[in-house]
Amino acid sequence: DVKVTQSSRYLVKRTGEKVFLECVQDMDHENMFWYRQDPGLGLRLIYFSYDVKMKEKGDIPEGYSVSREKKERFSLILESASTNQTSMYLCASSFGSGRIYEQFFGPGTRLTVL
Amino acid sequence: AQSVSQHNHHVILSEAASLELGCNYSYGGTVNLFWYVQYPGQHLQLLLKYFSGDPLVKGIKGFEAEFIKSKFSFNLRKPSVQWSDTAEYFCAVKTRGNNRLAFGKGNQVVVIP
């Protein structure tokens, strides 16, 4: 059974703090993704990675960065948190090309920035 | 970039009623299509997917979806809903050569007992 885990379910931070969100998958997936989910806006892709040390910007990368040093781990970094980054953050992973494609999601981290 | 449209963001219906959620996408090439569901307090999980073959796809919990290529649509249906179908439903599209999904904005479905 595929498992995608995220380091925290709930997180409260102050404006200007550096925030790290961690995601780990146990299925040897090549691709990993970070989304934010906001009511009425659906899922918006922040960044994704198709290999170790590789990353690509999604639709809303501003204010975020990512790190993928190991295949199973993908980190989302908020360099200086702002109140408009209060949201639910979802991590997902999938196999790369050549296989049946499906994204598997973690439980999410609800981040509140005060 | 491809876009995915889901209409009627909030849907309220009674148990045993039929449900149909629309999904339209804007891409003319080969697509893979997905419906994901998020039950209250749970993570997103796959409901069903279409890759090729029979355009009528059956998923878990009695859901089905029909791919109509000429209409760029992949509508989700369930003939008789239950209270436990209360959830948010997302349509997603993957285009050929792309490793990412484009998601619609979701449908919040509330089933009243």
Side-chain angles (χ1 to χ4, degrees), chain A residues 9 31 33 35 37 40-43 45 59 100-103 105-107, chain B residues 9 34 36 38 41 43-44 46 49 51 88 90 94 99-101 103-105:
Chain A
R9 288 302 301 270
N31 299 330
F33 307 84
Y35 296 90
Q37 182 181 12
L41 297 179
L43 275 74
L45 183 64
D59 300 318
I100 293 293
Y101 187 93
E102 178 183 341
Q103 285 191 18
F105 285 83
Chain B
H9 182 65
F34 306 80
Y36 279 85
Q38 188 174 35
H43 61 272
L44 251 80
L46 185 69
K49 60 189 176 190
F51 279 75
E88 190 153 19
F90 294 94
K94 177 186 176 301
N99 264 327
R100 52 175 289 180
L101 293 177
F103 280 87
K105 293 185 177 180

PDB file of all heavy atoms in Angstrom, chain A residues 9 31 33 35 37 40-43 45 59 100-103 105-107, chain B residues 9 34 36 38 41 43-44 46 49 51 88 90 94 99-101 103-105:
ATOM      1  N   ARG A   9       0.343  17.619  10.838  1.00  0.00           N
ATOM      2  CA  ARG A   9      -1.038  17.818  10.374  1.00  0.00           C
ATOM      3  C   ARG A   9      -1.451  19.277  10.535  1.00  0.00           C
ATOM      4  O   ARG A   9      -2.185  19.817   9.718  1.00  0.00           O
ATOM      5  CB  ARG A   9      -2.011  16.932  11.156  1.00  0.00           C
ATOM      6  CG  ARG A   9      -1.940  15.451  10.828  1.00  0.00           C
ATOM      7  CD  ARG A   9      -2.194  15.168   9.350  1.00  0.00           C
ATOM      8  NE  ARG A   9      -3.489  15.619   8.867  1.00  0.00           N
ATOM      9  CZ  ARG A   9      -4.589  14.856   8.880  1.00  0.00           C
ATOM     10  NH1 ARG A   9      -4.565  13.639   9.371  1.00  0.00           N
ATOM     11  NH2 ARG A   9      -5.724  15.331   8.403  1.00  0.00           N
ATOM     12  N   ASN A  31       8.318  10.934  -9.221  1.00  0.00           N
ATOM     13  CA  ASN A  31       7.734  12.280  -9.171  1.00  0.00           C
ATOM     14  C   ASN A  31       7.201  12.597  -7.786  1.00  0.00           C
ATOM     15  O   ASN A  31       6.566  11.757  -7.148  1.00  0.00           O
ATOM     16  CB  ASN A  31       6.555  12.388 -10.146  1.00  0.00           C
ATOM     17  CG  ASN A  31       6.943  12.144 -11.579  1.00  0.00           C
ATOM     18  OD1 ASN A  31       8.066  12.412 -11.991  1.00  0.00           O
ATOM     19  ND2 ASN A  31       6.002  11.625 -12.345  1.00  0.00           N
ATOM     20  N   PHE A  33       5.208  16.085  -5.665  1.00  0.00           N
ATOM     21  CA  PHE A  33       4.485  17.327  -5.929  1.00  0.00           C
ATOM     22  C   PHE A  33       4.105  18.017  -4.621  1.00  0.00           C
ATOM     23  O   PHE A  33       3.791  17.350  -3.640  1.00  0.00           O
ATOM     24  CB  PHE A  33       3.179  17.039  -6.686  1.00  0.00           C
ATOM     25  CG  PHE A  33       3.345  16.222  -7.931  1.00  0.00           C
ATOM     26  CD1 PHE A  33       3.403  14.835  -7.854  1.00  0.00           C
ATOM     27  CD2 PHE A  33       3.432  16.821  -9.170  1.00  0.00           C
ATOM     28  CE1 PHE A  33       3.550  14.059  -9.000  1.00  0.00           C
ATOM     29  CE2 PHE A  33       3.582  16.063 -10.323  1.00  0.00           C
ATOM     30  CZ  PHE A  33       3.639  14.685 -10.240  1.00  0.00           C
ATOM     31  N   TYR A  35       1.178  20.885  -3.503  1.00  0.00           N
ATOM     32  CA  TYR A  35       0.014  21.681  -3.858  1.00  0.00           C
ATOM     33  C   TYR A  35      -0.409  22.493  -2.638  1.00  0.00           C
ATOM     34  O   TYR A  35      -0.169  22.101  -1.501  1.00  0.00           O
ATOM     35  CB  TYR A  35      -1.178  20.783  -4.209  1.00  0.00           C
ATOM     36  CG  TYR A  35      -1.022  19.907  -5.414  1.00  0.00           C
ATOM     37  CD1 TYR A  35      -0.498  18.621  -5.304  1.00  0.00           C
ATOM     38  CD2 TYR A  35      -1.456  20.339  -6.663  1.00  0.00           C
ATOM     39  CE1 TYR A  35      -0.397  17.792  -6.418  1.00  0.00           C
ATOM     40  CE2 TYR A  35      -1.365  19.513  -7.778  1.00  0.00           C
ATOM     41  CZ  TYR A  35      -0.830  18.247  -7.641  1.00  0.00           C
ATOM     42  OH  TYR A  35      -0.745  17.438  -8.740  1.00  0.00           O
ATOM     43  N   GLN A  37      -4.229  23.853  -1.191  1.00  0.00           N
ATOM     44  CA  GLN A  37      -5.658  23.695  -1.400  1.00  0.00           C
ATOM     45  C   GLN A  37      -6.392  24.778  -0.633  1.00  0.00           C
ATOM     46  O   GLN A  37      -6.267  24.881   0.587  1.00  0.00           O
ATOM     47  CB  GLN A  37      -6.113  22.304  -0.913  1.00  0.00           C
ATOM     48  CG  GLN A  37      -7.584  22.036  -1.131  1.00  0.00           C
ATOM     49  CD  GLN A  37      -8.015  20.674  -0.615  1.00  0.00           C
ATOM     50  OE1 GLN A  37      -7.278  20.001   0.102  1.00  0.00           O
ATOM     51  NE2 GLN A  37      -9.207  20.257  -0.988  1.00  0.00           N
ATOM     52  N   GLY A  40     -12.777  26.818  -2.821  1.00  0.00           N
ATOM     53  CA  GLY A  40     -13.209  27.456  -4.057  1.00  0.00           C
ATOM     54  C   GLY A  40     -12.140  27.587  -5.121  1.00  0.00           C
ATOM     55  O   GLY A  40     -12.436  27.983  -6.251  1.00  0.00           O
ATOM     56  N   LEU A  41     -10.897  27.256  -4.774  1.00  0.00           N
ATOM     57  CA  LEU A  41      -9.797  27.364  -5.746  1.00  0.00           C
ATOM     58  C   LEU A  41      -9.233  26.004  -6.130  1.00  0.00           C
ATOM     59  O   LEU A  41      -8.371  25.917  -7.009  1.00  0.00           O
ATOM     60  CB  LEU A  41      -8.674  28.241  -5.187  1.00  0.00           C
ATOM     61  CG  LEU A  41      -9.032  29.698  -4.904  1.00  0.00           C
ATOM     62  CD1 LEU A  41      -7.834  30.442  -4.333  1.00  0.00           C
ATOM     63  CD2 LEU A  41      -9.526  30.395  -6.183  1.00  0.00           C
ATOM     64  N   GLY A  42      -9.661  24.963  -5.472  1.00  0.00           N
ATOM     65  CA  GLY A  42      -9.171  23.628  -5.799  1.00  0.00           C
ATOM     66  C   GLY A  42      -7.733  23.435  -5.388  1.00  0.00           C
ATOM     67  O   GLY A  42      -7.251  24.033  -4.427  1.00  0.00           O
ATOM     68  N   LEU A  43      -7.024  22.581  -6.136  1.00  0.00           N
ATOM     69  CA  LEU A  43      -5.617  22.308  -5.885  1.00  0.00           C
ATOM     70  C   LEU A  43      -4.771  23.085  -6.887  1.00  0.00           C
ATOM     71  O   LEU A  43      -4.997  22.988  -8.089  1.00  0.00           O
ATOM     72  CB  LEU A  43      -5.319  20.813  -6.054  1.00  0.00           C
ATOM     73  CG  LEU A  43      -5.556  19.925  -4.864  1.00  0.00           C
ATOM     74  CD1 LEU A  43      -7.038  19.706  -4.626  1.00  0.00           C
ATOM     75  CD2 LEU A  43      -4.872  18.582  -5.069  1.00  0.00           C
ATOM     76  N   LEU A  45      -0.808  23.777  -8.100  1.00  0.00           N
ATOM     77  CA  LEU A  45       0.526  23.192  -8.017  1.00  0.00           C
ATOM     78  C   LEU A  45       1.556  24.275  -7.720  1.00  0.00           C
ATOM     79  O   LEU A  45       1.647  25.281  -8.436  1.00  0.00           O
ATOM     80  CB  LEU A  45       0.865  22.493  -9.333  1.00  0.00           C
ATOM     81  CG  LEU A  45       2.190  21.762  -9.399  1.00  0.00           C
ATOM     82  CD1 LEU A  45       2.228  20.592  -8.414  1.00  0.00           C
ATOM     83  CD2 LEU A  45       2.440  21.260 -10.818  1.00  0.00           C
ATOM     84  N   ASP A  59       2.281  26.317 -10.856  1.00  0.00           N
ATOM     85  CA  ASP A  59       1.500  27.495 -11.236  1.00  0.00           C
ATOM     86  C   ASP A  59       1.652  28.664 -10.269  1.00  0.00           C
ATOM     87  O   ASP A  59       1.452  29.811 -10.643  1.00  0.00           O
ATOM     88  CB  ASP A  59       0.016  27.113 -11.334  1.00  0.00           C
ATOM     89  CG  ASP A  59      -0.215  26.027 -12.366  1.00  0.00           C
ATOM     90  OD1 ASP A  59       0.402  26.101 -13.441  1.00  0.00           O
ATOM     91  OD2 ASP A  59      -1.001  25.092 -12.089  1.00  0.00           O
ATOM     92  N   ILE A 100       1.612   3.148 -15.524  1.00  0.00           N
ATOM     93  CA  ILE A 100       0.260   3.656 -15.292  1.00  0.00           C
ATOM     94  C   ILE A 100       0.338   4.793 -14.268  1.00  0.00           C
ATOM     95  O   ILE A 100       0.867   4.635 -13.179  1.00  0.00           O
ATOM     96  CB  ILE A 100      -0.667   2.544 -14.765  1.00  0.00           C
ATOM     97  CG1 ILE A 100      -0.871   1.496 -15.840  1.00  0.00           C
ATOM     98  CG2 ILE A 100      -2.006   3.135 -14.328  1.00  0.00           C
ATOM     99  CD1 ILE A 100      -1.642   1.976 -17.051  1.00  0.00           C
ATOM    100  N   TYR A 101      -0.208   5.919 -14.663  1.00  0.00           N
ATOM    101  CA  TYR A 101      -0.008   7.135 -13.883  1.00  0.00           C
ATOM    102  C   TYR A 101      -1.123   7.306 -12.863  1.00  0.00           C
ATOM    103  O   TYR A 101      -2.297   7.228 -13.190  1.00  0.00           O
ATOM    104  CB  TYR A 101       0.015   8.325 -14.842  1.00  0.00           C
ATOM    105  CG  TYR A 101       0.388   9.627 -14.192  1.00  0.00           C
ATOM    106  CD1 TYR A 101       1.704  10.060 -14.182  1.00  0.00           C
ATOM    107  CD2 TYR A 101      -0.566  10.421 -13.586  1.00  0.00           C
ATOM    108  CE1 TYR A 101       2.057  11.256 -13.588  1.00  0.00           C
ATOM    109  CE2 TYR A 101      -0.222  11.610 -12.986  1.00  0.00           C
ATOM    110  CZ  TYR A 101       1.091  12.035 -13.000  1.00  0.00           C
ATOM    111  OH  TYR A 101       1.429  13.212 -12.403  1.00  0.00           O
ATOM    112  N   GLU A 102      -0.744   7.569 -11.626  1.00  0.00           N
ATOM    113  CA  GLU A 102      -1.697   7.929 -10.584  1.00  0.00           C
ATOM    114  C   GLU A 102      -0.926   8.693  -9.523  1.00  0.00           C
ATOM    115  O   GLU A 102       0.173   8.288  -9.146  1.00  0.00           O
ATOM    116  CB  GLU A 102      -2.336   6.685  -9.963  1.00  0.00           C
ATOM    117  CG  GLU A 102      -3.309   7.003  -8.824  1.00  0.00           C
ATOM    118  CD  GLU A 102      -3.875   5.764  -8.166  1.00  0.00           C
ATOM    119  OE1 GLU A 102      -3.823   4.669  -8.779  1.00  0.00           O
ATOM    120  OE2 GLU A 102      -4.360   5.869  -7.020  1.00  0.00           O
ATOM    121  N   GLN A 103      -1.487   9.775  -9.043  1.00  0.00           N
ATOM    122  CA  GLN A 103      -0.861  10.507  -7.934  1.00  0.00           C
ATOM    123  C   GLN A 103      -1.483  10.040  -6.627  1.00  0.00           C
ATOM    124  O   GLN A 103      -2.706   9.917  -6.511  1.00  0.00           O
ATOM    125  CB  GLN A 103      -1.059  12.017  -8.105  1.00  0.00           C
ATOM    126  CG  GLN A 103      -0.159  12.608  -9.175  1.00  0.00           C
ATOM    127  CD  GLN A 103      -0.142  14.123  -9.175  1.00  0.00           C
ATOM    128  OE1 GLN A 103      -0.524  14.775  -8.196  1.00  0.00           O
ATOM    129  NE2 GLN A 103       0.334  14.710 -10.270  1.00  0.00           N
ATOM    130  N   PHE A 105      -1.719  10.862  -2.535  1.00  0.00           N
ATOM    131  CA  PHE A 105      -1.643  12.057  -1.701  1.00  0.00           C
ATOM    132  C   PHE A 105      -1.387  11.748  -0.234  1.00  0.00           C
ATOM    133  O   PHE A 105      -1.843  10.730   0.292  1.00  0.00           O
ATOM    134  CB  PHE A 105      -2.946  12.852  -1.820  1.00  0.00           C
ATOM    135  CG  PHE A 105      -3.059  13.598  -3.112  1.00  0.00           C
ATOM    136  CD1 PHE A 105      -3.503  12.956  -4.260  1.00  0.00           C
ATOM    137  CD2 PHE A 105      -2.685  14.926  -3.196  1.00  0.00           C
ATOM    138  CE1 PHE A 105      -3.588  13.632  -5.462  1.00  0.00           C
ATOM    139  CE2 PHE A 105      -2.772  15.619  -4.392  1.00  0.00           C
ATOM    140  CZ  PHE A 105      -3.222  14.968  -5.529  1.00  0.00           C
ATOM    141  N   GLY A 106      -0.702  12.674   0.411  1.00  0.00           N
ATOM    142  CA  GLY A 106      -0.551  12.630   1.857  1.00  0.00           C
ATOM    143  C   GLY A 106      -1.761  13.246   2.538  1.00  0.00           C
ATOM    144  O   GLY A 106      -2.669  13.759   1.877  1.00  0.00           O
ATOM    145  N   PRO A 107      -1.781  13.232   3.880  1.00  0.00           N
ATOM    146  CA  PRO A 107      -2.942  13.713   4.629  1.00  0.00           C
ATOM    147  C   PRO A 107      -3.066  15.234   4.674  1.00  0.00           C
ATOM    148  O   PRO A 107      -4.112  15.750   5.047  1.00  0.00           O
ATOM    149  CB  PRO A 107      -2.709  13.160   6.031  1.00  0.00           C
ATOM    150  CG  PRO A 107      -1.238  12.996   6.125  1.00  0.00           C
ATOM    151  CD  PRO A 107      -0.762  12.645   4.748  1.00  0.00           C
TER     152      PRO A 107
ATOM    153  N   HIS B   9     -20.235  24.553  -7.881  1.00  0.00           N
ATOM    154  CA  HIS B   9     -19.267  24.200  -6.832  1.00  0.00           C
ATOM    155  C   HIS B   9     -19.929  23.530  -5.630  1.00  0.00           C
ATOM    156  O   HIS B   9     -19.380  22.594  -5.057  1.00  0.00           O
ATOM    157  CB  HIS B   9     -18.494  25.426  -6.387  1.00  0.00           C
ATOM    158  CG  HIS B   9     -17.475  25.120  -5.352  1.00  0.00           C
ATOM    159  ND1 HIS B   9     -16.378  24.313  -5.595  1.00  0.00           N
ATOM    160  CD2 HIS B   9     -17.376  25.468  -4.052  1.00  0.00           C
ATOM    161  CE1 HIS B   9     -15.656  24.194  -4.491  1.00  0.00           C
ATOM    162  NE2 HIS B   9     -16.238  24.881  -3.538  1.00  0.00           N
ATOM    163  N   PHE B  34      -9.092  11.731 -14.538  1.00  0.00           N
ATOM    164  CA  PHE B  34      -9.206  11.226 -13.172  1.00  0.00           C
ATOM    165  C   PHE B  34     -10.316  11.957 -12.420  1.00  0.00           C
ATOM    166  O   PHE B  34     -10.555  13.149 -12.661  1.00  0.00           O
ATOM    167  CB  PHE B  34      -7.894  11.466 -12.395  1.00  0.00           C
ATOM    168  CG  PHE B  34      -6.659  10.928 -13.066  1.00  0.00           C
ATOM    169  CD1 PHE B  34      -6.051  11.633 -14.088  1.00  0.00           C
ATOM    170  CD2 PHE B  34      -6.093   9.736 -12.658  1.00  0.00           C
ATOM    171  CE1 PHE B  34      -4.906  11.149 -14.716  1.00  0.00           C
ATOM    172  CE2 PHE B  34      -4.943   9.244 -13.271  1.00  0.00           C
ATOM    173  CZ  PHE B  34      -4.360   9.957 -14.299  1.00  0.00           C
ATOM    174  N   TYR B  36     -10.921  12.430  -8.282  1.00  0.00           N
ATOM    175  CA  TYR B  36     -10.465  12.198  -6.921  1.00  0.00           C
ATOM    176  C   TYR B  36     -11.572  12.637  -5.966  1.00  0.00           C
ATOM    177  O   TYR B  36     -12.350  13.550  -6.269  1.00  0.00           O
ATOM    178  CB  TYR B  36      -9.203  13.006  -6.617  1.00  0.00           C
ATOM    179  CG  TYR B  36      -7.917  12.394  -7.134  1.00  0.00           C
ATOM    180  CD1 TYR B  36      -7.499  12.608  -8.441  1.00  0.00           C
ATOM    181  CD2 TYR B  36      -7.114  11.610  -6.306  1.00  0.00           C
ATOM    182  CE1 TYR B  36      -6.313  12.057  -8.916  1.00  0.00           C
ATOM    183  CE2 TYR B  36      -5.923  11.055  -6.774  1.00  0.00           C
ATOM    184  CZ  TYR B  36      -5.536  11.281  -8.075  1.00  0.00           C
ATOM    185  OH  TYR B  36      -4.360  10.734  -8.543  1.00  0.00           O
ATOM    186  N   GLN B  38     -12.364  13.626  -1.717  1.00  0.00           N
ATOM    187  CA  GLN B  38     -11.805  13.929  -0.390  1.00  0.00           C
ATOM    188  C   GLN B  38     -12.953  13.945   0.610  1.00  0.00           C
ATOM    189  O   GLN B  38     -13.760  14.884   0.641  1.00  0.00           O
ATOM    190  CB  GLN B  38     -11.096  15.288  -0.401  1.00  0.00           C
ATOM    191  CG  GLN B  38     -10.329  15.597   0.870  1.00  0.00           C
ATOM    192  CD  GLN B  38      -9.528  16.873   0.763  1.00  0.00           C
ATOM    193  OE1 GLN B  38      -9.946  17.833   0.109  1.00  0.00           O
ATOM    194  NE2 GLN B  38      -8.363  16.918   1.394  1.00  0.00           N
ATOM    195  N   GLY B  41     -12.088  15.341   6.558  1.00  0.00           N
ATOM    196  CA  GLY B  41     -10.987  14.953   7.434  1.00  0.00           C
ATOM    197  C   GLY B  41     -10.047  13.914   6.872  1.00  0.00           C
ATOM    198  O   GLY B  41      -9.128  13.469   7.573  1.00  0.00           O
ATOM    199  N   HIS B  43      -7.605  12.253   3.444  1.00  0.00           N
ATOM    200  CA  HIS B  43      -6.789  12.726   2.333  1.00  0.00           C
ATOM    201  C   HIS B  43      -7.446  12.397   0.994  1.00  0.00           C
ATOM    202  O   HIS B  43      -8.368  11.590   0.928  1.00  0.00           O
ATOM    203  CB  HIS B  43      -5.381  12.119   2.404  1.00  0.00           C
ATOM    204  CG  HIS B  43      -5.351  10.623   2.326  1.00  0.00           C
ATOM    205  ND1 HIS B  43      -5.466   9.821   3.430  1.00  0.00           N
ATOM    206  CD2 HIS B  43      -5.228   9.790   1.275  1.00  0.00           C
ATOM    207  CE1 HIS B  43      -5.411   8.564   3.061  1.00  0.00           C
ATOM    208  NE2 HIS B  43      -5.260   8.511   1.764  1.00  0.00           N
ATOM    209  N   LEU B  44      -6.993  13.048  -0.050  1.00  0.00           N
ATOM    210  CA  LEU B  44      -7.508  12.793  -1.393  1.00  0.00           C
ATOM    211  C   LEU B  44      -7.232  11.361  -1.812  1.00  0.00           C
ATOM    212  O   LEU B  44      -6.128  10.846  -1.611  1.00  0.00           O
ATOM    213  CB  LEU B  44      -6.812  13.705  -2.406  1.00  0.00           C
ATOM    214  CG  LEU B  44      -7.653  14.824  -2.993  1.00  0.00           C
ATOM    215  CD1 LEU B  44      -7.699  15.959  -1.997  1.00  0.00           C
ATOM    216  CD2 LEU B  44      -7.061  15.319  -4.292  1.00  0.00           C
ATOM    217  N   LEU B  46      -8.140   8.333  -5.071  1.00  0.00           N
ATOM    218  CA  LEU B  46      -8.615   8.146  -6.432  1.00  0.00           C
ATOM    219  C   LEU B  46      -9.967   7.443  -6.430  1.00  0.00           C
ATOM    220  O   LEU B  46     -10.158   6.420  -5.773  1.00  0.00           O
ATOM    221  CB  LEU B  46      -7.604   7.319  -7.224  1.00  0.00           C
ATOM    222  CG  LEU B  46      -7.903   7.135  -8.700  1.00  0.00           C
ATOM    223  CD1 LEU B  46      -7.752   8.465  -9.436  1.00  0.00           C
ATOM    224  CD2 LEU B  46      -6.975   6.097  -9.310  1.00  0.00           C
ATOM    225  N   LYS B  49     -10.379   6.350 -12.967  1.00  0.00           N
ATOM    226  CA  LYS B  49      -9.494   6.970 -13.958  1.00  0.00           C
ATOM    227  C   LYS B  49      -9.779   6.378 -15.332  1.00  0.00           C
ATOM    228  O   LYS B  49     -10.243   5.241 -15.458  1.00  0.00           O
ATOM    229  CB  LYS B  49      -8.027   6.752 -13.586  1.00  0.00           C
ATOM    230  CG  LYS B  49      -7.601   5.295 -13.506  1.00  0.00           C
ATOM    231  CD  LYS B  49      -6.193   5.162 -12.917  1.00  0.00           C
ATOM    232  CE  LYS B  49      -5.837   3.682 -12.753  1.00  0.00           C
ATOM    233  NZ  LYS B  49      -4.591   3.499 -11.970  1.00  0.00           N
ATOM    234  N   PHE B  51      -7.805   5.812 -19.081  1.00  0.00           N
ATOM    235  CA  PHE B  51      -6.579   5.906 -19.867  1.00  0.00           C
ATOM    236  C   PHE B  51      -6.858   5.625 -21.338  1.00  0.00           C
ATOM    237  O   PHE B  51      -6.367   6.321 -22.216  1.00  0.00           O
ATOM    238  CB  PHE B  51      -5.522   4.931 -19.338  1.00  0.00           C
ATOM    239  CG  PHE B  51      -4.793   5.473 -18.147  1.00  0.00           C
ATOM    240  CD1 PHE B  51      -5.399   5.522 -16.905  1.00  0.00           C
ATOM    241  CD2 PHE B  51      -3.510   5.967 -18.256  1.00  0.00           C
ATOM    242  CE1 PHE B  51      -4.736   6.047 -15.804  1.00  0.00           C
ATOM    243  CE2 PHE B  51      -2.839   6.488 -17.165  1.00  0.00           C
ATOM    244  CZ  PHE B  51      -3.455   6.533 -15.936  1.00  0.00           C
ATOM    245  N   GLU B  88     -15.776  16.278  -1.102  1.00  0.00           N
ATOM    246  CA  GLU B  88     -15.411  17.179  -2.196  1.00  0.00           C
ATOM    247  C   GLU B  88     -14.817  16.329  -3.313  1.00  0.00           C
ATOM    248  O   GLU B  88     -13.994  15.430  -3.061  1.00  0.00           O
ATOM    249  CB  GLU B  88     -14.413  18.245  -1.755  1.00  0.00           C
ATOM    250  CG  GLU B  88     -14.208  19.329  -2.788  1.00  0.00           C
ATOM    251  CD  GLU B  88     -13.779  20.664  -2.218  1.00  0.00           C
ATOM    252  OE1 GLU B  88     -13.288  20.699  -1.071  1.00  0.00           O
ATOM    253  OE2 GLU B  88     -13.922  21.668  -2.932  1.00  0.00           O
ATOM    254  N   PHE B  90     -12.941  16.155  -7.116  1.00  0.00           N
ATOM    255  CA  PHE B  90     -12.061  16.893  -8.021  1.00  0.00           C
ATOM    256  C   PHE B  90     -11.834  16.107  -9.299  1.00  0.00           C
ATOM    257  O   PHE B  90     -11.496  14.923  -9.256  1.00  0.00           O
ATOM    258  CB  PHE B  90     -10.697  17.140  -7.368  1.00  0.00           C
ATOM    259  CG  PHE B  90     -10.736  18.042  -6.174  1.00  0.00           C
ATOM    260  CD1 PHE B  90     -10.846  17.518  -4.898  1.00  0.00           C
ATOM    261  CD2 PHE B  90     -10.670  19.418  -6.324  1.00  0.00           C
ATOM    262  CE1 PHE B  90     -10.884  18.346  -3.783  1.00  0.00           C
ATOM    263  CE2 PHE B  90     -10.702  20.256  -5.221  1.00  0.00           C
ATOM    264  CZ  PHE B  90     -10.816  19.718  -3.951  1.00  0.00           C
ATOM    265  N   LYS B  94      -4.426  14.744 -17.190  1.00  0.00           N
ATOM    266  CA  LYS B  94      -2.997  14.643 -17.514  1.00  0.00           C
ATOM    267  C   LYS B  94      -2.876  14.597 -19.028  1.00  0.00           C
ATOM    268  O   LYS B  94      -3.544  13.813 -19.681  1.00  0.00           O
ATOM    269  CB  LYS B  94      -2.383  13.391 -16.894  1.00  0.00           C
ATOM    270  CG  LYS B  94      -0.907  13.194 -17.250  1.00  0.00           C
ATOM    271  CD  LYS B  94      -0.405  11.870 -16.732  1.00  0.00           C
ATOM    272  CE  LYS B  94       1.032  11.592 -17.149  1.00  0.00           C
ATOM    273  NZ  LYS B  94       1.238  11.578 -18.602  1.00  0.00           N
ATOM    274  N   ASN B  99       4.137  15.338 -16.830  1.00  0.00           N
ATOM    275  CA  ASN B  99       4.139  14.541 -15.606  1.00  0.00           C
ATOM    276  C   ASN B  99       3.265  15.128 -14.509  1.00  0.00           C
ATOM    277  O   ASN B  99       3.346  14.706 -13.365  1.00  0.00           O
ATOM    278  CB  ASN B  99       5.570  14.404 -15.082  1.00  0.00           C
ATOM    279  CG  ASN B  99       6.203  13.116 -15.550  1.00  0.00           C
ATOM    280  OD1 ASN B  99       5.526  12.102 -15.703  1.00  0.00           O
ATOM    281  ND2 ASN B  99       7.495  13.137 -15.789  1.00  0.00           N
ATOM    282  N   ARG B 100       2.465  16.110 -14.823  1.00  0.00           N
ATOM    283  CA  ARG B 100       1.665  16.768 -13.808  1.00  0.00           C
ATOM    284  C   ARG B 100       0.189  16.663 -14.162  1.00  0.00           C
ATOM    285  O   ARG B 100      -0.183  16.386 -15.300  1.00  0.00           O
ATOM    286  CB  ARG B 100       2.081  18.231 -13.698  1.00  0.00           C
ATOM    287  CG  ARG B 100       2.086  18.983 -15.019  1.00  0.00           C
ATOM    288  CD  ARG B 100       2.393  20.446 -14.838  1.00  0.00           C
ATOM    289  NE  ARG B 100       1.285  21.142 -14.207  1.00  0.00           N
ATOM    290  CZ  ARG B 100       1.275  22.434 -13.930  1.00  0.00           C
ATOM    291  NH1 ARG B 100       2.316  23.183 -14.220  1.00  0.00           N
ATOM    292  NH2 ARG B 100       0.219  22.994 -13.362  1.00  0.00           N
ATOM    293  N   LEU B 101      -0.642  16.888 -13.133  1.00  0.00           N
ATOM    294  CA  LEU B 101      -2.090  16.920 -13.316  1.00  0.00           C
ATOM    295  C   LEU B 101      -2.573  18.360 -13.244  1.00  0.00           C
ATOM    296  O   LEU B 101      -2.035  19.163 -12.467  1.00  0.00           O
ATOM    297  CB  LEU B 101      -2.792  16.121 -12.219  1.00  0.00           C
ATOM    298  CG  LEU B 101      -2.598  14.606 -12.192  1.00  0.00           C
ATOM    299  CD1 LEU B 101      -3.325  14.017 -10.983  1.00  0.00           C
ATOM    300  CD2 LEU B 101      -3.107  13.973 -13.465  1.00  0.00           C
ATOM    301  N   PHE B 103      -5.949  20.256 -12.098  1.00  0.00           N
ATOM    302  CA  PHE B 103      -7.159  19.983 -11.330  1.00  0.00           C
ATOM    303  C   PHE B 103      -8.219  21.042 -11.576  1.00  0.00           C
ATOM    304  O   PHE B 103      -7.902  22.221 -11.778  1.00  0.00           O
ATOM    305  CB  PHE B 103      -6.839  19.974  -9.828  1.00  0.00           C
ATOM    306  CG  PHE B 103      -6.217  18.697  -9.344  1.00  0.00           C
ATOM    307  CD1 PHE B 103      -4.841  18.525  -9.406  1.00  0.00           C
ATOM    308  CD2 PHE B 103      -6.999  17.678  -8.827  1.00  0.00           C
ATOM    309  CE1 PHE B 103      -4.256  17.345  -8.969  1.00  0.00           C
ATOM    310  CE2 PHE B 103      -6.420  16.496  -8.382  1.00  0.00           C
ATOM    311  CZ  PHE B 103      -5.055  16.334  -8.452  1.00  0.00           C
ATOM    312  N   GLY B 104      -9.483  20.614 -11.502  1.00  0.00           N
ATOM    313  CA  GLY B 104     -10.573  21.558 -11.447  1.00  0.00           C
ATOM    314  C   GLY B 104     -10.708  22.118 -10.039  1.00  0.00           C
ATOM    315  O   GLY B 104      -9.992  21.701  -9.121  1.00  0.00           O
ATOM    316  N   LYS B 105     -11.646  23.045  -9.859  1.00  0.00           N
ATOM    317  CA  LYS B 105     -11.788  23.710  -8.564  1.00  0.00           C
ATOM    318  C   LYS B 105     -12.593  22.896  -7.558  1.00  0.00           C
ATOM    319  O   LYS B 105     -12.700  23.286  -6.398  1.00  0.00           O
ATOM    320  CB  LYS B 105     -12.408  25.098  -8.754  1.00  0.00           C
ATOM    321  CG  LYS B 105     -11.475  26.039  -9.497  1.00  0.00           C
ATOM    322  CD  LYS B 105     -12.018  27.450  -9.592  1.00  0.00           C
ATOM    323  CE  LYS B 105     -10.992  28.341 -10.296  1.00  0.00           C
ATOM    324  NZ  LYS B 105     -11.464  29.734 -10.418  1.00  0.00           N
TER     325      LYS B 105
END
